[in-house]
């Protein structure tokens, strides 16, 4: 795989509250087993990702593991979404006991469902 273009620089992250709220308000919601995704097409040349994992999910070790796994799946599979989009992923409680393979399959399946709906 081409590792040169697979980084996750700062401009590809959603970090500000108003950016999250814009995706929540205007984006399309996609349900998955471990996540709820909100996807909104943007006018940028790249995708952006925002991740939220509530304290209800578990202790910080668990929450950070989920976030790391989500970022890695997104980083390696950006091309699964056709136009550049802002993606906000909200983790469900079931994500705490899932494996990395399950997380990858669930996230890619949600991207496929969104692409088919478009």
């Amino acid at each position: 795989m081409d590792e040169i273009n697979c980084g996750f620089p700062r401009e590809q992250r959603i970090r500000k509250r108003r950016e999250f709220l814009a995706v929540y308000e205007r984006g399309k919601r996609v349900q998955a087993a471990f996540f709820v995704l909100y996807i909104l097409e943007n006018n940028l040349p790249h995708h952006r990702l925002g991740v939220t994992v509530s304290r209800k999910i578990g202790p910080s070790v668990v929450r950070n593991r989920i976030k790391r796994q989500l970022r890695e799946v997104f980083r390696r599979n950006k091309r699964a979404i056709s136009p550049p989009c802002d993606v906000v992923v909200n983790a469900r409680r079931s994500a705490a006991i899932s494996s990395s393979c399950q997380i990858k399959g669930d996230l890619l399946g949600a991207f496929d469902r969104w692409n088919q709906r478009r």
Side-chain angles (χ1 to χ4, degrees):
M1 179 187 268
D2 182 25
E3 290 293 326
I4 295 171
N5 204 11
C6 285
F8 195 56
R10 185 169 282 202
E11 66 267 2
Q12 293 183 5
R13 301 176 196 168
I14 299 174
R15 298 178 309 166
K16 296 184 180 174
R17 176 175 162 73
R18 64 185 150 100
E19 295 171 342
F20 276 93
L21 292 176
V23 177
Y24 287 140
E25 290 172 10
R26 298 193 317 261
K28 301 292 182 191
R29 183 172 55 180
V30 179
Q31 302 276 344
F34 304 122
F35 309 104
V36 178
L37 281 73
Y38 295 87
I39 304 174
L40 177 67
E41 292 184 29
N42 62 28
N43 295 325
L44 301 172
H46 52 78
H47 299 292
R48 296 191 312 164
L49 175 69
V51 179
T52 60
V53 183
S54 169
R55 278 191 234 162
K56 293 178 184 178
I57 303 294
S60 61
V61 173
V62 173
R63 295 192 312 265
N64 290 331
R65 180 184 62 85
I66 293 169
K67 288 187 276 190
R68 279 193 310 272
Q69 289 175 337
L70 280 170
R71 284 193 300 264
E72 183 64 13
V73 170
F74 183 79
R75 184 183 77 81
R76 289 185 177 263
N77 298 287
K78 293 177 198 174
R79 296 178 195 103
I81 306 173
S82 52
C85 296
D86 289 345
V87 178
V88 174
V89 181
N90 291 349
R92 292 184 170 177
R93 288 185 183 181
S94 57
I97 57 171
S98 62
S99 68
S100 59
C101 291
Q102 291 173 319
I103 287 176
K104 179 181 179 180
D106 198 36
L107 195 62
L108 293 179
F111 288 155
D112 287 340
R113 283 193 303 279
W114 183 78
N115 283 328
Q116 290 173 357
R117 270 201 265 168
R118 260 185 6 87

